[in-house]
Amino acid sequence: MGEKRALLTDRWFIDQVTAVTQQFLRSLPDRGASDTPGPSRTNAGPDALTARAARLSAERARLEEEEAALQADVERLNHAHLPHPGPPSPRPVPAAGPGLDAETLTLAEAGRIRRAYKITEAALPRLVLEAAEDGRDASAIARDLAVTPSYVYRILRERVRYTWRVDVLTDKTWAERGTGHAVVDRALGSKAALAEKVLAETAAPHPARVLVWEGRRTADEDAAHTLTRPEPGP
């Protein structure tokens, strides 16, 4: 229950519940008046009382259904940002390309394309470096990613992709603890700085070590940098 709910959503829910409650109270008959003209309520027969009880029961059930629907709407709005399974969109978002028409683009489609664009932009340096590791030339990479060759050359010149692995010493044997990769600025000592950062963030018992490779991971002896954290002293 520690989740902080949006003030607008809570305010809307409170207003709706208040409206439903007031509607329910207005639906109750005045205690000082009878349901129908004629004899007083105390003199109403069993049939009248049964009919009145049925009406109140139906009204209560209807209000309970409305309250449940309102609560479901609140939960849906509060968790709209979370991914959840559901029926497919009635209008699928087209992939950005030559057939995309700006005149018919919807707000939802534009939002999804913009979000996808930001993710793609963040991934471009890694994709360029991985493609270069596969032996693709700059012009082919630029064509596949719809960027200029100069952009590809700049990434290859200024950025580097490292693969790292963390080991811990168990029974005098190094055992793998975790792996990962990082794209960083190409600079003197960048692989050493990465190893320091990874080892500092690794909650591993002493001793531990980090091996760093430029590009893909290969044999341990081919690691570009190795950093070992020694056992603590007595």
Side-chain angles (χ1 to χ4, degrees):
M1 298 295 293
E3 180 182 82
K4 183 178 180 181
R5 302 176 66 176
L7 295 178
L8 179 60
T9 302
D10 285 344
R11 181 68 267 169
W12 175 84
F13 175 66
I14 292 172
D15 291 343
Q16 294 297 323
V17 171
T18 301
V20 171
T21 303
Q22 293 175 349
Q23 182 181 0
F24 174 72
L25 293 176
R26 287 195 300 269
S27 69
L28 297 178
D30 188 355
R31 294 183 178 179
S34 61
D35 289 342
T36 56
S40 66
R41 185 182 308 170
T42 56
N43 295 330
D47 292 342
L49 292 177
T50 300
R52 180 171 176 271
R55 289 196 303 272
L56 292 177
S57 178
E59 181 68 12
R60 183 180 299 108
R62 184 182 66 81
L63 293 175
E64 289 175 352
E65 289 179 358
E66 290 185 3
E67 182 178 358
L70 290 173
Q71 180 64 34
D73 287 340
V74 170
E75 294 299 325
R76 177 179 58 81
L77 291 173
N78 281 343
H79 300 284
H81 64 285
L82 298 177
H84 61 280
S89 173
R91 184 177 181 182
V93 177
L100 193 62
D101 186 2
E103 296 300 324
T104 60
L105 191 68
T106 67
L107 181 65
E109 290 170 349
R112 293 180 186 179
I113 292 172
R114 292 276 297 176
R115 287 189 291 272
Y117 172 79
K118 292 180 180 179
I119 295 173
T120 302
E121 285 296 297
L124 278 179
R126 176 183 60 81
L127 295 174
V128 167
L129 293 169
E130 288 179 347
E133 292 168 12
D134 290 335
R136 296 181 63 82
D137 58 49
S139 59
I141 298 173
R143 183 173 59 252
D144 290 344
L145 294 178
V147 296
T148 63
S150 61
Y151 172 84
V152 175
Y153 283 122
R154 179 166 60 84
I155 293 297
L156 296 175
R157 184 176 61 253
E158 298 178 357
R159 310 297 292 274
V160 59
R161 190 180 81 92
Y162 291 123
T163 303
W164 53 263
R165 189 187 78 216
V166 177
D167 297 337
V168 294
L169 190 62
T170 305
D171 297 329
K172 298 183 179 180
T173 302
W174 288 109
E176 180 178 316
R177 180 65 176 261
T179 62
H181 65 84
V183 175
V184 300
D185 290 336
R186 187 183 294 275
L188 183 64
S190 59
K191 51 182 173 291
L194 175 63
E196 291 278 3
K197 179 177 182 294
V198 171
L199 197 56
E201 295 176 351
T202 300
H206 291 274
R209 71 177 182 181
V210 178
L211 288 80
V212 179
W213 294 266
E214 182 171 345
R216 289 186 172 85
R217 169 179 164 181
T218 56
D220 290 2
E221 56 270 20
D222 295 331
H225 185 78
T226 302
L227 176 65
T228 303
R229 179 170 59 199
E231 274 187 285

